[in-house]
């Protein structure tokens, strides 16, 4: 038998406290969904009247529903497989308090690994600051517990430690010069490499280590997307740097295994993908469908804060010659931004230090001046974390540049950042109140899942309470309201994704991406929002996660 779609909704949620986040009718009791979209909102009795015999009815029993959440900056496809496969030494995920704890985990893994096979482990960024020894392990530590296996352990994106076998496989000796944009640390007495590799020097080892195979990559992506749903995330903006993840996403979608929506941001510098590949095909931002689309392009200016490689005008604390690392020259940056801007590709430029902010803004202002275009929605990744001077904010607003701060950095490693950047530069760290007051557009990104889990509820709690994992209530005057914090992951995030017609609020005509929470985030202490249980996540009107 075949028949036309039924004239009544497939799903009705009723008897709830539905926070629509819409300007008009910010709350309702019920909503109806049909064909992935919301078709009615209102009082329970009114909406229930639309039900047909096959309509699925969900009684919310007074629980709160909100729009699906967006994380605007993740490395999900790159890290998803690692979440399943790697030796986990991250103190934000497992109990690890010392170098000995890390070595124990590696020894356990080595015990079952075939002799000679690679062991790839991951730690957390700036873990040296938090563990009892206040240092990273070095190659000698790793050699002791894993004498027969090449081992690497990365601490965040910017530092990797390799043992002797891994260094040998990569042919790194005492005479190997630093690659451009990278640093090989040497023992000050012997001149031998210690195993500690910074920024691009990590690539020397990564190139010889085995990669995950394609099937593992796909399974890892599915796994990581499903984890997003558990925290109410229905859309991510994922940074990719080679073809396989893009192909994997398309296949996963066709196979019916894609349960959260993805906007991909191909990295076009330090990447296997060139901006030319996109522009030659004529791709512009938004290409794709509701599940998978091109969200723009990504490029990086400086290194990361966790490896002390973000580039500042003033040097790091107790490290007077270190200003950080610039990974791209202004000319190349200007050119790439201009080409992408002209082609209709939105740019997302990573800039962490204030020197890098200036370079990013110079490139944007230059491109916009050459070819004025209003609705570019260009972004600066990590802008809004600190050093948002009045001049900088004026430049952001004048050119309409979006800031993507990452308060998870404050929550997890704010104390370590204070230690290396210094209190003076961080009197206004994560100044969300100031940014909003100055009309800078901010949306939330977490840089997960390599460092910490994707969890906007944690980030919302932190932005509204300023309560950090390391105990302090940090700069409470920069608190924003719970509604403003949610906007960073709903309404504003949808706009930043060029998807404000489809997402961000629960209104008739929009996608039925809905999260049901165990409690009302607006009725509890803001810091408790991070502990809120997600009970149900719907994407396109279908239940994709149920607690
Ligand atoms: Zn990132």
């Amino acid at each position: 038998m075949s028949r036309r779609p039924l004239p009544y909704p497939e799903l009705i949620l009723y008897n709830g406290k539905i926070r629509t986040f819409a300007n008009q009718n910010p709350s309702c009791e019920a909503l109806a969904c049909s064909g992935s979209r919301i078709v009615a909102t209102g009082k329970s009795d009114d909406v229930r009247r639309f039900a047909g015999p096959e309509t699925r009815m969900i009684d919310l029993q007074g629980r709160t529903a909100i729009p699906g959440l967006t994380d605007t900056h993740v490395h999900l496809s790159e890290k998803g497989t690692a979440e399943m496969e790697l030796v986990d030494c991250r103190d934000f995920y497992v109990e690890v308090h010392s170098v000995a704890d890390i070595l124990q985990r590696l020894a356990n893994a080595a015990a079952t690994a075939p002799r000679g096979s690679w062991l790839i482990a991951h730690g957390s960024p700036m873990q040296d600051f938090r563990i009892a020894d206040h240092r990273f392990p070095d190659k000698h530590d790793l050699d002791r517990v894993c004498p027969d296996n090449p081992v690497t352990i990365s601490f965040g994106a910017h530092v990797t430690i390799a043992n002797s076998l891994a260094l040998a496989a990569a042919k790194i000796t005492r005479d190997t010069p630093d690659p451009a944009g990278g640093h090989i640390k040497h023992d000050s007495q012997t001149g031998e490499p210690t195993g500690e590799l910074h920024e691009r020097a990590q690539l020397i080892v990564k190139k010889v280590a085995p990669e995950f195979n394609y099937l593992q990559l796909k399974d890892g992506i599915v796994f990581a997307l499903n984890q997003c749903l558990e925290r109410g995330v229905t859309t991510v903006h994922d940074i990719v740097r080679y073809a396989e993840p893009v192909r994997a996403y398309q296949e996963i979608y066709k196979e019916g295994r894609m349960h959260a929506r993805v906007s991909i941001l191909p990295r076009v510098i330090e990447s296997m993908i060139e901006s030319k590949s996109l522009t030659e095909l004529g791709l512009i931002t938004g290409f794709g469908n509701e599940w998978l689309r091109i969200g723009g392009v990504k490029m990086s200016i400086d290194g990361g804060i966790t490896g002390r490689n973000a580039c500042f005008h003033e040097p790091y604390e107790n490290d007077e010659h270190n200003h950080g690392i610039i990974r791209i020259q202004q000319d190349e940056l200007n050119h790439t931004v201009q080409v992408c801007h002209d082609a209709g590709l939105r740019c997302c430029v990573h800039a962490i230090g204030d020197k890098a902010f200036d370079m990013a803004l110079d490139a944007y202002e230059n491109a916009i001046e050459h070819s004025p275009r209003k609705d570019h929605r260009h972004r600066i990744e990590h802008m809004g974390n600190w050093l948002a001077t009045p001049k900088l904010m004026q430049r952001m607003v004048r050119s309409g540049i979006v800031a993507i701060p990452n308060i998870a950095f404050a929550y997890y490693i704010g104390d370590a950042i204070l230690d290396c950047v210094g209190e003076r530069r961080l009197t206004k760290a994560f100044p969300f109140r100031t940014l909003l007051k100055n009309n800078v557009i901010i949306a939330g990104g977490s840089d997960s899942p390599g460092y910490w889990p994707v969890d906007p509820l944690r980030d919302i709690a932190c932005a509204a309470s300023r309560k950090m994992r390391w105990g302090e209530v940090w700069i409470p005057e920069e608190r924003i309201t719970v509604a403003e914090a949610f906007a960073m992951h709903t309404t504003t995030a949808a706009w930043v994704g060029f998807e404000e017609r489809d997402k961000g609020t629960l209104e008739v005509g929009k996608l039925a991406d809905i999260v049901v929470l165990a409690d009302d985030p607006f009725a509890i202490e803001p810091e408790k929002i991070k502990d809120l249980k997600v009970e149900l996540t719907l994407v396109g009107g279908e239940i994709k996660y149920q607690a």
Side-chain angles (χ1 to χ4, degrees):
M1 185 185 100
S2 67
R3 64 179 178 195
R4 293 164 64 88
L6 300 171
Y8 43 76
E10 286 123 41
L11 175 75
I12 288 178
L13 306 179
Y14 66 99
N15 193 17
K17 198 165 164 187
I18 300 175
R19 296 195 174 269
T20 67
F21 291 5
N23 288 331
Q24 292 188 333
N25 306 323
S27 65
C28 63
E29 295 171 0
L31 57 77
C33 315
S34 181
S36 86
R37 302 250 164 197
I38 297 167
V39 293
T41 61
K43 289 199 177 304
S44 289
D45 289 347
D46 296 339
V47 175
R48 287 183 71 178
R49 237 172 261 143
F50 298 126
E54 287 173 35
T55 300
R56 181 169 186 183
M57 304 295 290
I58 296 179
D59 182 354
L60 293 176
Q61 298 173 316
R63 286 173 302 176
T64 300
I66 58 169
L69 302 171
T70 292
D71 190 324
T72 64
H73 183 128
V74 298
H75 298 269
L76 204 120
S77 51
E78 201 172 314
K79 302 288 181 190
T81 314
E83 294 299 306
M84 298 172 72
E85 303 278 344
L86 296 192
V87 184
D88 201 347
C89 301
R90 298 173 296 177
D91 61 340
F92 300 143
Y93 282 82
V94 295
E95 291 290 325
V96 171
H97 304 288
S98 62
V99 168
D101 289 347
I102 292 171
L103 298 180
Q104 186 59 53
R105 289 187 159 257
L106 285 168
N108 293 348
T112 55
R115 195 186 167 94
S117 68
W118 282 73
L119 286 177
I120 302 188
H122 52 175
S124 294
M126 294 173 148
Q127 203 162 336
D128 54 332
F129 180 86
R130 290 180 303 280
I131 56 182
D133 319 67
H134 286 293
R135 66 173 181 90
F136 290 126
D138 63 14
K139 71 172 178 187
H140 302 297
D141 296 315
L142 303 182
D143 288 347
R144 222 174 335 113
V145 291
C146 305
D148 302 321
N149 301 79
V151 179
T152 65
I153 176 166
S154 54
F155 292 95
H158 309 282
V159 188
T160 294
I161 319 292
N163 74 347
S164 293
L165 285 178
L167 290 171
K171 300 194 169 66
I172 295 176
T173 67
R174 56 184 297 146
D175 302 318
T176 308
D178 280 350
H183 175 60
I184 299 167
K185 194 172 167 191
H186 293 264
D187 187 304
S188 57
Q189 321 241 285
T190 66
E192 288 295 322
T194 65
E196 191 169 318
L197 308 168
H198 288 257
E199 298 298 339
R200 284 195 187 188
Q202 302 175 98
L203 299 178
I204 310 174
V205 164
K206 283 188 177 156
K207 255 188 277 179
V208 297
E211 296 256 323
F212 296 120
N213 70 37
Y214 184 62
L215 289 179
Q216 286 171 308
L217 173 78
K218 281 174 70 175
D219 288 346
I221 291 174
V222 172
F223 176 82
L225 282 175
N226 288 341
Q227 288 204 312
C228 290
L229 295 167
E230 293 182 21
R231 294 310 287 157
V233 174
T234 54
T235 297
V236 293
H237 297 188
D238 188 34
I239 293 148
V240 300
R241 59 187 173 88
Y242 57 112
E244 277 78 3
V246 181
R247 192 174 302 140
Y249 272 129
Q250 295 171 77
E251 290 184 4
I252 289 163
Y253 171 68
K254 279 196 199 164
E255 291 159 5
R257 293 201 289 158
M258 194 157 159
H259 303 305
R261 305 178 193 278
V262 180
S263 195
I264 53 177
L265 301 174
R267 201 154 122 176
V268 294
I269 290 172
E270 291 181 0
S271 163
M272 307 293 282
I273 305 163
E274 287 184 50
S275 55
K276 224 170 57 177
S277 320
L278 298 161
T279 54
E280 282 180 350
L281 195 52
L283 290 183
I284 63 172
T285 302
F287 177 78
N289 66 18
E290 289 157 8
W291 286 93
L292 181 62
R293 60 170 34 124
I294 302 274
V297 294
K298 161 98 192 291
M299 58 202 93
S300 294
I301 296 182
D302 55 347
I305 191 71
T306 61
R308 288 181 165 234
N309 298 318
C311 194
F312 292 94
H313 288 297
E314 289 179 34
Y316 284 84
E317 294 290 299
N318 310 318
D319 200 357
E320 59 181 315
H321 298 298
N322 183 13
H323 290 254
I325 293 176
I326 291 290
R327 292 151 73 177
I328 181 173
Q329 295 311 311
Q330 187 78 52
D331 291 355
E332 189 189 359
L333 178 68
N334 285 3
H335 175 74
T336 311
V337 166
Q338 184 78 59
V339 166
C340 295
H341 173 83
D342 289 347
L345 286 166
R346 179 264 298 283
C347 299
C348 305
V349 172
H350 157 124
I352 294 190
D354 50 358
K355 175 106 197 287
F357 293 159
D358 287 340
M359 286 179 66
L361 283 166
D362 285 349
Y364 282 142
E365 286 168 358
N366 177 67
I368 294 164
E369 194 190 325
H370 272 80
S371 2
R373 182 152 66 79
K374 266 231 150 61
D375 203 23
H376 51 71
R377 306 189 199 184
H378 292 316
R379 324 185 339 186
I380 299 182
E381 313 302 302
H382 315 298
M383 164 74 200
N385 288 353
W386 41 71
L387 295 170
T389 60
K391 177 150 181 251
L392 201 76
M393 289 189 285
Q394 273 166 23
R395 291 178 74 185
M396 297 286 288
V397 172
R398 197 187 315 126
S399 297
I401 308 298
V402 180
I404 308 288
N406 330 94
I407 204 161
F409 280 83
Y411 180 72
Y412 285 105
I413 56 171
D415 51 350
I417 294 171
L418 269 168
D419 192 58
C420 76
V421 180
E423 201 129 6
R424 194 171 44 80
R425 275 181 284 194
L426 294 175
T427 50
K428 280 191 160 254
F430 303 88
F432 292 1
R433 167 57 53 221
T434 302
L435 288 162
L436 288 178
K437 204 161 59 188
N438 285 277
N439 302 314
V440 178
I441 300 165
I442 52 174
S446 67
D447 232 350
S448 305
Y451 295 174
W452 30 72
V454 171
D455 189 359
L457 292 169
R458 167 203 64 214
D459 297 342
I460 288 162
C462 187
S465 71
R466 304 292 292 199
K467 183 84 199 290
M468 304 296 153
R469 181 182 183 267
W470 37 284
E472 209 165 297
V473 175
W474 196 19
I475 321 176
E477 60 273 23
E478 290 294 346
R479 272 183 196 132
I480 56 175
T481 67
V482 171
E484 287 165 336
F486 267 104
M488 291 176 69
H489 294 277
T490 55
T491 45
T492 308
W495 180 85
V496 168
F498 292 88
E499 298 177 309
E500 68 274 20
R501 286 204 195 96
D502 291 325
K503 299 178 184 173
T505 61
L506 300 177
E507 292 176 275
V508 171
K510 288 207 176 178
L511 291 167
D513 296 354
I514 304 163
V515 179
V516 178
L517 299 168
D519 208 341
D520 180 359
F522 291 83
I524 60 176
E525 287 285 308
E527 71 166 278
K528 300 241 165 73
I529 293 171
K530 74 175 193 308
D531 306 317
L532 271 180
K533 197 169 155 206
V534 171
E535 302 211 322
L536 207 59
T537 304
L538 294 108
V539 186
E542 281 181 38
I543 295 176
K544 296 295 192 181
Y545 168 75
Q546 191 155 20

